[in-house]
Amino acid sequence: MPNTDRSKVMEKVRSLPHTPGVYMMKDRLGSVLYVGKAKDIKRRVSSYFRDSNRMRLSQPKVVAMIPLIFDLEIIEVRSETEALILEGKLIKQFKPRYNTSFIDDKRFLLVRLDEYAILPRFRLCRVQADERSRYFGPFAHSSLLRRTLAEMRKRYGILLGDAHPELQPDGTWKLYDDIRNELYGHVNTVTPEQYHERVRQAAVFLEGKSREWLEELRAEMMKAAETRDYERAAGYRDMLQALEKTLTPTRKFARDPMLHVPSADALNRLREALGCEHAIGIIECFDISHISGTFCVASMVRFVGGQPDKSGYRRFKIQTFTGNDDFRAMHEVVGRRYTRLKEENRTFPDLVIIDGGVGQVSAALEAFAEAKLEPPLLIGLAKREETIIFPSPRPPLKLPHHDAALQLLQRVRDEAHRFANTFNAELRSKRLRESILDDFEGLGPVRRAALLDHFKTIDSLRRASLEQLQEVDGIGPILAGQLRGFLNAATPGDGTEAGIERSEMVFPTTPSIQDTQA
């Protein structure tokens, strides 16, 4: 690393606190090279830049990484346990190339259920190859999983991958053709409808099992962290991050085999489940997205008649504060949304869904109260148990996973989550591109803004000739030549934007802007 770059980094290192936290090493383009945790950030980060310490580390990848370090960022936390969890989250989010790879899902078994088949079977696989299928997992303990599937076959009379059912002349199916029929104790000849009911029950059981194993692993991780066995805790953390996908992928698909409920029926069922007197035609749902308090944004999606109305989607940047406070963020965006509808004399939705639990629901209600607005029916959907949260004093409601009302709520919530994350990623990507020019000395904010306004993107700026650069006010021949040399040096070897696209990491304070439309 050039001496000028080293001096900038060492200046930051000298100012680091002696506190627990997470540190991120970044290259010239702002891409994250490495994420690490530390009980003492300053002591740990300083060790990377002591020449005598490099060989003691005996890690070639660390030695190779050090010359590439152009900047570093830290996030302070309250304890080593928090640092452990945050480190894992950031590694999974940004996939730094110098971190040891986290758990690769392909190393673990998945359970695949082809819901569209006449007789869906529970099969083992390692890759999600068919988007039409429903997947459970990944599961870390293959022997336990196989025993569980065997138990499911006996308990519910379902088919596994080794079965060879036979179609009978009357349209029924003979599931097993050997002694297993007698062992399982279930009727062996069934209609497809009868068999699908068995599959539904087995799927609910398997999903419950995966949740149960997830909680056991989480408890083991916290226990290891409390006893300061951080290496063991990190192993549990890695496994958790793979297993937590048990709940995520299945949201893409119908949760109940053969249950593809029309929107009107699902809305009627939702009205019944919520005890709503009027029909539910318009639904709006809010979600907050941020990375450790930075780039905090919110989304609102709108469903009409049970279907997405993308013209009604809205995106928000948080204006009233910076940091990590989901409750304040929810309070702000709900207040802004419905104050604006009131000012424009527009109709409120029939149902407002808040992605979160009691705290988020209370914050949303406070926003209505402060704006002196009568709220429509408002509920929260808590992710962990998929529990419906009502304003006090009505108790929470937990619907079966195959309930059409819950599936509709999940679909709306997941769309809000996707929309918020997309907005968050766009902002981080845009800020990363713009931040590259910050490293070019001699280019003040006025000329930097003029360059971005003229070329629109860093990619276009990189392709500009010397003559084109000089078309921008304030950019003369000498500065244009210096800028061209800087951009050439900062461009990845293949001459593309790939080096930028691989990173989504940068931690500046987010400026406030008004709501934007999708």
Side-chain angles (χ1 to χ4, degrees), residues 239-253:
M239 195 178 299
L240 267 171
Q241 291 181 327
L243 294 179
E244 280 176 338
K245 293 183 180 179
T246 300
L247 307 182
T248 302
T250 56
R251 288 175 185 165
K252 299 177 183 176
F253 315 108

Side-chain angles (χ1 to χ4, degrees), residues 62-239:
V62 175
V63 177
M65 176 185 71
I66 290 174
L68 303 178
I69 299 173
F70 182 76
D71 195 7
L72 63 92
E73 297 285 346
I74 68 164
I75 300 176
E76 295 182 65
V77 297
R78 292 172 293 183
S79 67
E80 291 175 88
T81 302
E82 286 189 20
L84 174 77
I85 296 172
L86 179 57
E87 178 202 33
K89 178 180 178 181
L90 293 174
I91 292 174
K92 290 295 287 185
Q93 179 74 24
F94 305 113
K95 299 178 177 61
R97 63 187 178 208
Y98 284 96
N99 278 92
T100 301
S101 296
F102 259 33
I103 298 298
D104 183 349
D105 297 343
K106 295 182 182 179
R107 292 172 50 190
F108 296 100
L109 286 172
L110 299 161
V111 177
R112 171 177 167 175
L113 179 61
D114 296 333
E115 297 181 323
Y116 54 84
I118 296 176
L119 298 180
R121 307 183 196 187
F122 291 82
R123 307 172 187 267
L124 294 177
C125 66
R126 295 187 185 274
V127 179
Q128 295 189 20
D130 187 346
E131 291 192 352
R132 297 176 300 168
S133 299
R134 180 180 179 184
Y135 293 88
F136 302 85
F139 298 97
H141 304 293
S142 58
S143 59
L144 178 58
L145 176 59
R146 287 187 169 91
R147 289 199 301 271
T148 298
L149 290 180
E151 176 186 347
M152 288 169 54
R153 180 162 56 185
K154 292 180 181 179
R155 179 181 297 191
Y156 299 105
I158 47 89
L159 298 172
L160 301 186
D162 61 347
H164 300 283
E166 296 179 0
L167 177 63
Q168 305 301 301
D170 61 356
T172 61
W173 288 84
K174 182 180 179 182
L175 301 181
Y176 299 103
D177 58 0
D178 53 29
I179 192 62
R180 286 182 294 184
N181 173 41
E182 298 177 12
L183 291 175
Y184 301 156
H186 293 278
V187 175
N188 193 33
T189 302
V190 296
T191 64
E193 291 74 19
Q194 291 170 332
Y195 177 73
H196 278 288
E197 175 58 23
R198 297 185 185 184
V199 170
R200 184 192 66 77
Q201 295 177 13
V204 171
F205 171 81
L206 183 58
E207 188 168 77
K209 272 291 185 184
S210 54
R211 289 173 183 269
E212 178 184 321
W213 294 337
L214 195 68
E215 291 306 312
E216 290 176 1
L217 277 174
R218 183 174 285 108
E220 289 295 325
M221 181 191 74
M222 299 307 296
K223 181 179 178 181
E226 288 170 2
T227 59
R228 298 183 181 275
D229 187 353
Y230 291 107
E231 293 304 317
R232 186 159 170 257
Y236 283 124
R237 176 203 61 198
D238 295 354
M239 195 178 299

Side-chain angles (χ1 to χ4, degrees), residues 29 97 462 487-500 502:
L29 296 177
R97 63 187 178 208
R462 280 177 168 150
L487 292 172
N488 289 342
T491 302
D494 60 1
T496 71
E497 287 281 300
I500 296 177
R502 283 193 295 268

